[in-house]
Structures are given as structure tokens and as C-alpha cells.
Amino acid sequence: MMATITEEIYNQVQSLPENLQMETLEFVNFLQYRLAQQQSKQLDNVSLADILEDISQHGTTFSDIKDPVAWQREQRQDREILGRE
């Protein structure tokens, strides 16, 4: 019977010294992190596409802003941060 990939990895890692097993574990953690980042990026792209589509169809996203220049100045104003002087 042919071993699964998981079993093969397990068998190979078992034969390594402990320091290399730890390095292997760190690499697996890196791969999991990278996969999570890629999946998150895909979700962000879908969400961004949906938002942009909504904006293009409705065109009302910024309709409540009467004076864009004044709004921009207000957004750029420094704000007091609690606990800082």
C-alpha cells in the first residue's frame, strides 16, 4: 500500500535530528502563514471589486459631502490623542 503524502512527510521528518525537525516545523508554519495571507488577499480583492462595482452603479458614495475641499481639510486636521500631550 502506498503511503499518503502526510505519512511520507511524517516518516521523513521522524528520521531527522531534533534541530532539523524544529526547522521543518518552522517552515511549515511559514507555509501556513503565506497561505493565510494569499487567502486574505483574495478576499480583499473580491470585497474591493464589490465595493467599486457598487460605487460605479450607485454613484452616491460621497453625495453627502457638499464641499470636497472643506471635507479634505477637516480630514487632514490633527486630532488630540488621549493620554498624549
Side-chain angles (χ1 to χ4, degrees):
M1 181 177 184
M2 183 121 184
T4 66
I5 292 174
T6 304
E7 292 169 335
E8 182 64 26
I9 292 170
Y10 177 77
N11 291 333
Q12 292 292 328
V13 170
Q14 249 186 334
S15 68
L16 295 173
E18 190 172 335
N19 65 325
L20 293 179
Q21 289 179 6
M22 183 59 90
E23 191 173 326
T24 303
L25 178 60
E26 290 171 0
F27 182 68
V28 169
N29 289 334
F30 163 74
L31 292 175
Q32 290 173 331
Y33 172 79
R34 190 171 72 178
L35 177 62
Q37 292 297 317
Q38 290 170 348
Q39 290 171 340
S40 175
K41 205 176 263 187
Q42 288 173 349
L43 290 175
D44 288 346
N45 290 340
V46 170
S47 299
L48 180 58
D50 291 342
I51 291 169
L52 291 174
E53 179 68 25
D54 187 49
I55 290 171
S56 70
Q57 289 187 5
H58 296 97
T60 60
T61 303
F62 300 108
S63 63
D64 60 328
I65 299 173
K66 304 301 180 215
D67 182 359
V69 174
W71 177 85
Q72 189 174 33
R73 280 191 195 118
E74 182 183 326
Q75 297 305 309
R76 291 182 174 180
Q77 281 183 345
D78 288 336
R79 301 216 178 355
E80 186 177 318
I81 300 174
L82 295 177
R84 293 193 179 177
E85 297 178 342

